[in-house]
Amino acid sequence: MLPHQFFKLLADETRMRCLLLIAREKRLCVCELTHALQESQPKVSRHLAQLRQSGVLVDERQGQWVYYQVSDQLPGWLNKIIDGLKQSNCLQQQYGVDSQRLATMADRPCC
């Protein structure tokens, strides 16, 4: 993946928010993301599919749950960008409520 392709992929706010949450939490399922983002399951799934098809995310099925995580096959430059996004104070302020909603989610499948 070339840089312009990655940035075009993240030009959508929903994909950016999904990637940030997954990168921070290490792995999440669709139900956790829909709860945190307060978006519909089809919308979140569609954006996760784009991130997966691009190779940024990988998925793993465990029983009835499909978990998404950042691929460990990404080039170094891309890992550095994702780490920078995770640590960004302005993004944390902008999307911190997503993390808060996730932290207070009852009946998380992983917990």
Side-chain angles (χ1 to χ4, degrees):
M1 172 179 296
L2 296 172
H4 72 277
Q5 294 167 317
F6 177 68
F7 292 119
K8 185 176 180 181
L9 186 68
L10 292 189
D12 181 88
E13 186 178 27
T14 301
R15 286 191 293 273
M16 169 66 87
R17 291 168 68 196
C18 285
L19 179 60
L20 284 173
L21 278 173
I22 293 168
R24 287 185 183 130
E25 297 290 325
K26 305 299 183 212
R27 69 181 214 149
L28 292 171
C29 70
V30 175
C31 69
E32 292 169 307
L33 288 162
T34 58
H35 180 84
L37 303 179
Q38 293 188 328
E39 297 286 356
S40 70
Q41 182 272 324
K43 180 178 181 176
V44 170
S45 291
R46 184 175 64 250
H47 289 292
L48 289 171
Q50 290 177 305
L51 288 164
R52 185 180 42 77
Q53 289 166 354
S54 72
V56 174
L57 296 181
V58 294
D59 61 345
E60 176 185 358
R61 179 171 290 282
Q62 289 186 346
Q64 67 182 18
W65 307 111
V66 178
Y67 290 92
Y68 292 85
Q69 59 192 39
V70 176
S71 173
D72 61 1
Q73 302 298 309
L74 297 177
W77 67 266
L78 192 46
N79 283 321
K80 288 179 185 177
I81 291 172
I82 292 171
D83 285 341
L85 293 170
K86 277 190 326 189
Q87 296 170 16
S88 168
N89 288 332
C90 67
L91 289 177
Q92 182 58 38
Q93 289 174 357
Q94 180 72 27
Y95 303 121
V97 70
D98 295 343
S99 295
Q100 291 169 357
R101 278 193 293 266
L102 182 62
T104 61
M105 180 181 176
D107 300 324
R108 286 181 70 181
C110 65
C111 303

